[in-house]
């Protein structure tokens, strides 16, 4: 060994004596980790001095350690991806493995609702309960049924179906003695075990979940009572957009085993609207021709209509005098005017003039209650 090599080793020895145990451990940790700039692992220093070989043992090769460390690290480094709810819920009928069915009594002439089997549509007045029967093959106690209202048209599928502004007020008669988180829900269930999910603030579809249990003795269905708390025509709510209710058969963790769809129209005259829509539907079939069983009807090319343009907001105030008999009738007129102003705010965005008129109308409503 030359004098120059001996001098180099002595210099390294003097530098190591100045390092603490912590510094040496940190330095050796760097040797264990592969560098991104050097794919091959860095070899540790080897000293001819036996004293330093005892204090700093030679580290094992990186390739020898890798196969034994990976199996233990994988569970912590690769967590399971979180479940992502779908942005657009499916409305396709799905019988499922348990042959899930939904039945509605079509003979409701004396009831505040009527059902059209031709349209698979329920016509009902607001806040009136109606029965729905659920049937499935397997009699399992841990099944639930979830009712979720969705807009029927594809362009509105992601929008939330919620009640209008006047119907969500705490002083409204259908909200008295009802928890506040239920006020926005259009669909309610009369079961004491009903749970209300979804959030208007978080943009999650509002729905009501109820346990099915098992059919009573001598029956093969389970009945629950539902009601709708807002009309299709409310300007600040559904605003005349058609909607449907999706009933899903689920277990306790939310796995869907069946799905059924029911079209709904909440109106003031169910029988009249049912007859009108059925007449229009049959007329459309006669004009276009019905498709043979098992075949698709050939569609005709229809000229596209120009898209409707939203008219500009008119903020001109008009004051008039109306004479009407009955306090309740006058309150309905004031409420109708308030709905119009609230609808303009939703359609065109915030406006100080319209908001001022809406606040005055709201104040009058509270005085009339």
């Amino acid at each position: 060994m030359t004098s120059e090599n001996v001098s180099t080793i002595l210099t390294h020895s003097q530098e190591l004596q100045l390092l603490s145990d912590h510094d040496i451990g940190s330095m050796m940790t760097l040797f264990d980790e592969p560098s991104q700039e050097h794919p091959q692992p860095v070899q540790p220093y080897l000293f001819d001095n036996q004293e330093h070989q005892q204090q700093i043992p030679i580290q094992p090769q990186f390739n020898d350690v890798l196969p034994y460390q990976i199996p233990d690290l994988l569970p912590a480094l690769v967590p399971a991806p979180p479940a992502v709810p779908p942005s657009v819920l499916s409305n396709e009928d799905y019988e499922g493995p348990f042959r899930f069915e939904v039945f509605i009594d079509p003979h409701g002439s004396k009831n505040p609702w009527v059902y059209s089997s031709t349209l698979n549509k329920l016509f009902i007045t607001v806040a009136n309960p109606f029965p729905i029967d659920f049937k499935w093959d397997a009699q399992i106690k841990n099944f639930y049924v979830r009712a979720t209202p969705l807009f029927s048209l594809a362009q509105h599928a992601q929008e939330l179906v919620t009640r209008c502004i006047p119907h969500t007020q705490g002083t409204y008669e259908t909200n008295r003695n009802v928890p506040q988180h239920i006020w926005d829900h259009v669909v309610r269930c009369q079961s004491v075990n009903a749970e209300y999910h979804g959030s208007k603030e978080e943009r999650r579809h509002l729905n009501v979940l109820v346990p099915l249990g098992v059919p009573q003795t001598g029956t093969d269905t389970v009945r629950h009572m539902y009601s709708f708390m807002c009309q299709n025509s409310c300007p600040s709510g559904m605003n005349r957009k058609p909607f449907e209710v999706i009933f899903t058969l689920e277990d306790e963790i939310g796995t869907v085993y069946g799905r059924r769809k029911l079209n709904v129209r909440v109106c003031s005259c169910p029988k009249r609207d049912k007859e009108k829509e059925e007449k229009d539907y049959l007329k459309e079939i006669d004009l276009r021709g019905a498709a043979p069983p098992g075949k698709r009807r050939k569609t005709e090319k229809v000229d596209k209509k120009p898209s409707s343009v939203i008219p500009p907001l008119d903020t001109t105030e008009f004051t008039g005098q109306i004479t009407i008999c009955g306090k309740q009738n006058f309150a309905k007129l004031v409420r109708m005017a308030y709905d119009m102003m609230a609808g303009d705010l939703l359609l065109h965005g915030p406006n100080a003039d319209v908001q001022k008129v809406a606040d005055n109308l709201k104040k009058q409503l509270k005085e009339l209650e």
Side-chain angles (χ1 to χ4, degrees), residues 272-285:
R272 179 199 62 190
D273 291 353
K274 171 181 174 293
E275 293 176 352
K276 181 180 183 302
E277 288 197 20
E278 286 182 339
K279 183 179 179 180
D280 294 341
Y281 175 74
L282 295 176
K283 184 185 296 185
E284 182 180 359
I285 292 179

Side-chain angles (χ1 to χ4, degrees), residues 86-98:
S87 58
V88 179
L89 300 180
S90 174
N91 62 350
E92 295 292 332
D93 282 336
Y94 171 57
E95 188 180 58
F98 302 114

Side-chain angles (χ1 to χ4, degrees), residues 211-227:
L212 279 178
V214 295
Q216 301 181 39
T217 304
T219 63
D220 59 353
T221 61
V222 172
R223 171 170 292 186
H224 284 292
M225 305 295 293
Y226 291 86
S227 58

Side-chain angles (χ1 to χ4, degrees), residues 106 114-123 263 274-275 277-283 285:
V114 290
Y115 173 73
S116 172
S117 56
T118 303
L119 304 173
N120 183 31
K121 192 167 187 176
L122 177 73
F123 298 82
N263 298 305
K274 171 181 174 293
E275 293 176 352
E277 288 197 20
E278 286 182 339
K279 183 179 179 180
D280 294 341
Y281 175 74
L282 295 176
K283 184 185 296 185
I285 292 179

